[in-house]
Amino acid sequence: MSTPERLIESTRELLWERGYVGTSPKAILERAGAGQGSMYHHFKGKPELALAAIRRTAEELSATAARVLDGPGTPYERIEAYLGRERDVLRGCPVGRLTMDPEVIASASSGLP
């Protein structure tokens, strides 16, 4: 996996675990196994990297929903299949939890997710 990919994937995991405020650039770099300047070489900073990570997560969630909801069965069966799919329900929604993050709310006009 390339360095930018490792950075995005590490950021996705950390955002889900810790939220935006709790995800430091140092933690991202450590999780990604990347050097100190790697994040700033590939991204303008934490906000741009977080946005790339959140977009990827949203795309995956959307694709999963489309696969199940556009699949076979009655509308009720498809909704039931979507709601009953295998997932880590105790961790919550990886995008939804960011909607309550104080720094994301305060910085919405600055381009943060």
Side-chain angles (χ1 to χ4, degrees), residues 3-112:
T3 300
E5 286 298 311
R6 288 194 329 268
L7 289 167
I8 290 170
E9 289 303 312
S10 296
T11 303
R12 289 178 62 192
E13 294 168 7
L14 288 165
L15 288 173
W16 196 5
E17 292 169 13
R18 303 178 183 183
Y20 185 80
V21 173
T23 300
S24 68
K26 181 179 178 182
I28 294 167
L29 293 171
E30 286 176 2
R31 174 89 45 114
Q36 190 169 5
S38 295
M39 179 168 55
Y40 299 101
H41 176 74
H42 298 287
F43 301 94
K44 290 179 183 172
K46 179 182 166 184
E48 185 178 273
L49 177 55
L51 186 57
I54 292 165
R55 283 186 174 144
R56 171 136 342 134
T57 298
E59 288 167 3
E60 284 184 8
L61 291 171
S62 180
T64 297
R67 269 193 314 276
V68 176
L69 296 174
D70 295 340
T74 67
Y76 177 83
E77 290 168 338
R78 292 186 307 238
I79 291 170
E80 183 179 42
Y82 177 75
L83 294 174
R85 75 192 186 287
E86 186 71 30
R87 63 192 190 282
D88 192 353
V89 295
L90 296 179
R91 289 181 70 191
C93 176
V95 174
R97 79 174 287 149
L98 294 173
T99 64
M100 298 308 295
D101 194 302
E103 192 167 329
V104 173
I105 293 168
S107 303
S109 63
S110 69
L112 287 176

